[in-house]
Amino acid sequence: APDSTLQIDISGTTVRLSGALTLATLIEAEDALKRACRRVAGGIVLDLSGLSQLDTAGALLLRRLRDERGDVH
């Protein structure tokens, strides 16, 4: 079965997501991303190369994050 967990690592201004960003991990992901955004001053670079799964709910979360902050790349 595919991995259904999400890991978020912050290094400088890069927020690296790995695992699954899906409806199953959405609440956890949203909380963690909000905490990450508070910790990082200025622009954020999202590294999605480690995602094994991304569904519509996860994609919409990323879009909303970008739209709300305006400095997510």
Side-chain angles (χ1 to χ4, degrees):
D3 186 13
S4 61
T5 62
L6 178 70
Q7 286 189 298
I8 299 178
D9 300 304
I10 303 169
S11 177
T13 60
T14 299
V15 178
R16 183 172 294 107
L17 305 178
S18 55
L21 182 54
T22 62
L23 187 58
T25 61
L26 196 65
I27 292 173
E28 169 194 356
E30 188 168 17
D31 290 345
L33 284 169
K34 284 180 180 177
R35 283 194 309 272
C37 287
R38 286 195 296 269
R39 289 177 52 190
V40 176
I44 289 178
V45 176
L46 284 178
D47 178 355
L48 308 178
S49 63
L51 287 181
S52 57
Q53 296 179 64
L54 177 65
D55 66 5
T56 302
L60 289 173
L61 171 62
L62 294 174
R63 180 176 178 169
R64 188 170 74 242
L65 177 67
R66 183 198 64 194
D67 290 348
E68 287 175 359
R69 281 191 58 108
D71 60 356
V72 176
H73 308 283

